[in-house]
Amino acid sequence: MEFHDQGIIISLRKYGEYDALIDVMTAQHGRHAGLVKGGMGRRQRGTLQPGNEVTLKWRGRLESQLGTFAAELRNARSASFLDYPSKLGVLNSVCAILSVSLAEREEHNTLYEGLQMLLDTLEHAGPEPESWGALLVRWEIGLLAELGFGLDLGCCAATGVTDDLIYVSPKSGRAVSRGAGLPYHDKLLTLPPFLLGGGNVTGNDVRAGLSLSEFFLERYVLFPHNKKIPQARRMLLDFLTV
Amino acid sequence: MYRKASYGSELDQLIQLLSKLPGLGPRSARRAALQLIKKKDTVMRPLSTALAEVAEHVNPCCICGNLDTSDPCHICDNPARDHSSICVIEDVADLWALERSGSYRGAYHVIGGTLSALDGVGPDDLNISSLIERVRADNITEVIIATNATVDGQTTAHYITDRLKDTAIMVSRLAHGVPVGGELDYLDDGTLTAALKSRRPF
């Protein structure tokens, strides 16, 4: 068995003395693990850093086997993140979330394209969260939708109105208008305006958006599998200089 | 078919143990064992004594985490070194590498790894709190962070920098770029990107 694909490295682990076990988010084969011979060696270790985009050749005797990867570097993105704690925080968070939330070998092409766009934006944007935070939140909400837990932010769950939506119901994942939600202010989640396509993105909006996606990720994606939000995702808020 | 080894259990155990060392497989372990037996007086006995002594006396230094036969280690105990500067490294192997270069005459602090979200290594699993205490208690003027230029290494570096933010100490880190003797044509894209970003006036 053999296939060729491209992907973004999401984790690298040492296996034996020189080999590496990598987890890659591929374009056509979803999250896919494989062994890289000599992956911890001086020549290949830089290529296999999380966030780097690689061209892959997977080979295994049977489809169900772990198999081996041969990886060639396409884009050394991780190097451009090393100087910025906030960007490294996002990279670690995104990789950790993919590792815990996706089943192996299930194609998620839309998610892959979104990840590519997010990392490209992160590479060229400044370190402040206002320039990439909205995209990060949208990507996480896209991940929820891809896994079958999409939020419905089109109209108010209580009244059906389509304007002045400022809350999200933690029970239904639907938007709630100011009028209907005000008595339950403490129980509802904040809906940042950028998710409805309006307004400038502020640091507080990014934090509100991340809290929103974290709540639904933990409750619907991770909790049923007895998993928790990864530490890297929790540490991300510390790295954000708001 | 099971093939019986052509040597006794003691020798078999030696070969098994040698094959656990880095760089040695069962075949190389057999060669090493044979070489030791051939040079019993010149290599085997002194090696056995050295191993016993190291096993008995080597311990991590209570100050910096370096491995040495004395505690504090000979670096922490050396008055000729500059104890106002601390170089933070991941592992004792990195300390030995820096010592080989002979370009640093300060003190060290071995944190024992890097933060790794996927492997579940958090700040409490590393010797970061002892570094912060040491920096606050001693008369330190500079902390040089020499973690590896990997995603995990630099995440750890930023975490330590953040923890040291409240102190008035200068925090620096190693440069990333073209190695000595490196030809640009053979460098990977990541190193070239880092080298271009960290360029400086001639």
Side-chain angles (χ1 to χ4, degrees):
Chain A
M1 302 293 298
E2 187 177 305
F3 72 74
H4 293 254
D5 204 344
Q6 65 183 58
I8 294 165
I9 310 273
I10 55 176
S11 82
L12 165 74
R13 279 194 184 94
K14 195 175 175 184
Y15 184 81
E17 271 181 61
Y18 307 110
D19 302 337
L21 271 175
I22 58 168
D23 216 358
V24 193
M25 184 65 200
T26 63
Q28 290 160 24
H29 297 83
R31 185 168 77 86
H32 203 298
L35 181 80
V36 181
K37 287 276 178 195
M40 294 310 281
R42 200 165 39 176
R43 202 170 59 85
Q44 285 198 78
R45 199 171 173 190
T47 302
L48 302 178
Q49 286 300 301
N52 281 354
E53 201 173 324
V54 287
T55 306
L56 296 159
K57 185 166 103 177
W58 179 86
R59 188 177 275 179
R61 193 173 62 81
L62 300 170
E63 201 180 342
S64 57
Q65 288 180 329
L66 174 70
T68 55
F69 272 131
E72 197 174 310
L73 192 63
R74 276 170 65 93
N75 185 352
R77 275 202 201 91
S78 65
S80 59
F81 297 162
L82 296 184
D83 292 340
Y84 305 102
S86 56
K87 292 184 179 186
L88 271 179
V90 174
L91 176 64
N92 284 326
S93 161
V94 162
C95 291
I97 283 177
L98 284 173
S99 285
V100 294
S101 62
L102 292 189
E104 268 197 72
R105 304 186 184 195
E106 276 181 11
E107 189 187 335
H108 293 286
N109 190 258
T110 319
L111 198 59
Y112 174 76
E113 284 173 5
L115 177 66
Q116 222 175 9
M117 193 192 288
L118 171 65
L119 294 181
D120 277 342
T121 306
L122 201 62
E123 188 178 350
H124 301 293
E128 62 285 345
E130 288 83 353
S131 49
W132 42 258
L135 194 58
L136 172 65
V137 174
R138 282 199 189 99
W139 181 81
E140 287 192 348
I141 286 172
L143 169 71
L144 280 168
E146 186 81 9
L147 297 174
F149 305 104
L151 305 184
D152 179 3
L153 307 176
C155 64
C156 175
T159 60
V161 296
T162 54
D163 52 358
D164 209 18
L165 302 172
I166 59 162
Y167 299 113
V168 176
S169 160
K171 280 191 178 171
S172 63
R174 295 182 65 191
V176 178
S177 65
R178 188 189 303 270
L182 214 53
Y184 310 99
H185 175 84
D186 296 338
K187 292 183 178 172
L188 296 172
L189 300 162
T190 306
L191 173 63
F194 67 79
L195 283 179
L196 299 172
N200 289 329
V201 181
T202 65
N204 284 336
D205 289 341
V206 174
R207 277 181 176 269
L210 288 173
S211 303
L212 179 71
S213 53
E214 183 177 313
F215 176 83
F216 288 103
L217 271 173
E218 185 156 40
R219 182 163 179 175
Y220 292 109
V221 179
L222 303 177
F223 182 73
H225 297 285
N226 203 18
K227 291 178 181 171
K228 287 182 178 170
I229 281 283
Q231 192 190 23
R233 175 63 171 76
R234 292 203 190 280
M235 280 173 75
L236 173 63
L237 289 175
D238 298 336
F239 281 123
L240 297 184
T241 48
V242 183
Chain B
M1 194 182 91
Y2 177 72
R3 192 168 287 181
K4 197 170 175 244
S6 51
Y7 35 77
S9 61
E10 295 86 353
L11 194 49
D12 188 44
Q13 196 192 3
L14 174 67
I15 292 168
Q16 293 284 337
L17 290 172
L18 283 172
S19 69
K20 290 188 196 304
L21 296 176
L24 293 185
R27 190 180 290 266
S28 329
R30 277 197 294 274
R31 289 177 60 202
L34 206 57
Q35 194 68 8
L36 286 171
I37 292 162
K38 279 181 184 167
K39 297 181 175 172
K40 202 182 273 183
D41 290 327
T42 54
V43 179
M44 198 181 203
R45 286 192 209 284
L47 177 68
S48 157
T49 315
L51 285 173
E53 278 185 15
V54 165
E56 184 67 29
H57 297 114
V58 170
N59 283 308
C61 170
C62 62
I63 299 173
C64 71
N66 182 22
L67 293 174
D68 205 345
T69 47
S70 58
D71 191 11
C73 69
H74 73 280
I75 294 174
C76 292
D77 219 16
N78 186 351
R81 295 186 78 111
D82 174 16
H83 289 280
S84 65
S85 155
I86 294 180
C87 182
V88 180
I89 56 237
E90 288 177 20
D91 208 0
V92 176
D94 300 330
L95 187 153
W96 289 353
L98 281 164
E99 279 297 287
R100 273 201 308 274
S101 75
S103 51
Y104 179 67
R105 300 297 300 160
Y108 293 95
H109 194 91
V110 183
I111 54 170
T114 52
L115 296 174
S116 175
L118 294 171
D119 296 330
V121 182
D124 297 337
D125 301 310
L126 305 175
N127 296 328
I128 294 177
S129 303
S130 58
L131 169 72
I132 309 298
E133 280 169 26
R134 198 175 157 194
V135 165
R136 291 214 167 109
D138 299 348
N139 202 12
I140 307 295
T141 54
E142 185 182 8
V143 172
I144 303 166
I145 299 180
T147 50
N148 289 334
T150 58
V151 170
D152 285 346
Q154 291 309 302
T155 304
T156 313
H158 288 301
Y159 178 79
I160 294 171
T161 311
D162 195 50
R163 291 282 303 270
L164 291 170
K165 207 166 53 184
D166 302 338
T167 60
I169 291 158
M170 186 173 96
V171 181
S172 59
R173 62 157 211 198
L174 296 189
H176 303 151
V178 183
V180 174
E183 293 179 35
L184 295 192
D185 194 21
Y186 291 97
L187 285 184
D188 64 280
D189 300 357
T191 309
L192 274 175
T193 309
L196 268 172
K197 276 183 134 182
S198 331
R199 68 186 184 276
R200 59 183 184 191
F202 224 109

